[in-house]
Amino acid sequence: MLNEFNVRQQPNPRTQAVVAQNWTRLILSYARHKRLFMIRAEDADVPGSEWDEVLRNPRINTKGHAVYEPPRQTSSVLLYWRTPEEWAQVLYDWANSTGQLNTIMTFYEIIEPPVPSPLSGIPLPILRKAVSVLTKSNRAQIIAVSDGEGVRFLAGNAGK
C-alpha cells in the first residue's frame, strides 16, 4: 500500500524490514509528538512544511499505520499513531473520567471539547473507527441527533 511512501528497496529482505520498521516508528512518533494526523505526498517536497523536519526520505511504508483519506486517492494519508482500538480506549476513558457515561454527545463535542482533551482535533474518520470499536464491544452506541451523529457511552464494560 502507499506506493508514494514506500521505503527504498534494500537488497536484503531482513534489512528492508528493519528500515521500514524504523521509518514507520519515526514517522508515527513524530506525528504523535506534533499531533499531526495527515500526511500528503507533496509534504515531502514542500520546504518548511509541518513534515519538513522529519521527511528526509519521501518513501515510507506504513504497513497498517495509515490509510488514504479520503479513500480512492493516493495523495493524502491519515496516520494511525494510535490504532483505532487504542483511540477507542482513550475515548472511553475520557468519557468515563468526564462523567459522560450514559449521556449523548455529538461527534463535534468530542472533537472540539470546551476543555482540551486527548481527543481534541482528532479527525472524524479516526473517531468513527474508535466509536465502531466501542460499539462492537457494547461500550457505546451511535445515536442520530438533530445536527448529525452522536454517541452514547455505556457504563459497565470499562475493562474491555
Side-chain angles (χ1 to χ4, degrees), residues 27-39:
I27 294 302
L28 294 176
S29 294
Y30 183 82
R32 185 177 191 153
H33 173 73
K34 295 283 190 168
R35 294 201 49 84
L36 300 172
F37 290 95
M38 289 289 251
I39 186 170

Side-chain angles (χ1 to χ4, degrees), residues 10 30 61 66 77 80 86 91 105 116 118 121-122 129 135 157 160:
Q10 297 292 322
Y30 183 82
N61 183 347
V77 177
Y80 290 140
E86 290 168 333
L91 177 57
M105 297 187 71
I122 186 173
K129 287 185 184 278
T135 300
N157 295 312
K160 290 191 178 181

Side-chain angles (χ1 to χ4, degrees), residues 86-104:
E86 290 168 333
W87 277 117
Q89 192 60 52
V90 169
L91 177 57
Y92 192 84
D93 290 346
W94 173 78
N96 190 29
S97 70
T98 58
Q100 301 299 328
L101 296 184
N102 294 316
T103 61
I104 298 171

